[in-house]
């Protein structure tokens, strides 16, 4: 097990970011991605590019919050490889509002992908990951017993 980080981007930098946070129950975050232990790469799910590994950018601590989580590195890599290349789920950002929308097969929203990877990699079982928005994922990860508090470094 190694310490990975779920990087949550704070809302407020664009109208779309603020809208996602607002409709996510007045949350503070609009995006999440999984950051490797050495912080050299992340697995991100973005509109227009889909699911992919990216070289981790320099994260501005005024825009990002990092939540550490212990995961099995081999299982994380396998889970990421399975969904790498899949498309972005544009309805995903509506699914945590409209719970009756069904999951899209082969398409992912950022927090949905993070929750699924965490669930199959030795982390907590985040059931129904397709319904989890940024606020709920943050609360689920920081509210777990024994999990370190988020760090902003």
């Amino acid at each position: 097990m190694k310490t990975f980080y779920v990087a949550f981007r704070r809302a407020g930098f664009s109208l779309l970011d603020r809208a996602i946070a607002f409709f996510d129950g007045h949350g503070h975050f609009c995006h999440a991605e999984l950051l490797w232990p050495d912080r050299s790469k992340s697995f991100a799910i973005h509109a227009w590019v889909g699911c992919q590994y990216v070289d981790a950018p320099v994260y501005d601590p005024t825009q990002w919050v990092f939540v550490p989580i212990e995961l099995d590195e081999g299982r994380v890599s396998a889970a990421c490889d399975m969904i790498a290349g899949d498309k972005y789920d544009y309805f995903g950002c509506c699914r945590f509002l409209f719970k009756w929308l069904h999951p899209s097969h082969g398409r992912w929203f950022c927090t949905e992908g993070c929750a699924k990877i965490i669930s199959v990699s030795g982390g907590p079982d985040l059931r129904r990951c397709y319904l989890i928005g940024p606020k709920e994922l943050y609360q689920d990860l920081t509210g777990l017993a024994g999990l370190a508090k988020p760090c902003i470094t």
Side-chain angles (χ1 to χ4, degrees):
M1 300 290 264
K2 290 193 175 184
T3 302
F4 284 76
Y5 299 89
V6 180
F8 289 91
R9 190 173 72 213
R10 297 178 195 270
F13 301 100
S14 74
L15 184 58
L16 180 60
D17 290 353
R18 289 191 302 258
I20 291 170
F22 176 81
F23 288 114
D24 187 29
H26 303 284
H28 300 288
F29 305 108
C30 61
H31 176 70
E33 53 192 62
L34 189 63
L35 186 60
W36 254 245
D38 62 2
R39 296 188 182 204
S40 65
K41 68 179 177 179
S42 68
F43 191 79
I45 301 172
H46 295 285
W48 302 286
V49 294
C51 306
Q52 64 182 7
Y53 291 100
V54 294
D55 291 333
V58 176
Y59 291 94
D60 179 349
T62 64
Q63 297 180 15
W64 293 86
V65 173
F66 302 96
V67 176
I69 185 166
E70 295 292 319
L71 299 172
D72 179 279
E73 187 172 19
R75 291 167 74 184
V76 169
S77 294
C80 291
D81 290 345
M82 283 180 52
I83 66 172
D86 284 356
K87 304 291 184 197
Y88 185 78
D89 183 6
Y90 288 96
F91 288 113
C93 55
C94 300
R95 202 166 282 111
F96 47 85
L97 280 175
F98 305 111
K99 306 288 187 192
W100 47 268
L101 287 173
H102 296 286
S104 298
H105 300 289
R107 295 183 175 272
W108 301 88
F109 183 64
C110 65
T111 52
E112 174 187 16
C114 285
K116 183 64 171 184
I117 292 165
I118 289 166
S119 292
V120 300
S121 302
D125 185 8
L126 301 168
R127 297 185 187 275
R128 297 172 42 148
C129 61
Y130 64 94
L131 297 175
I132 295 176
K135 178 182 173 183
E136 185 177 350
L137 181 60
Y138 179 81
Q139 289 172 339
D140 285 350
L141 295 179
T142 58
L144 295 171
L147 185 66
K149 293 295 180 200
C151 56
I152 304 180
T153 59

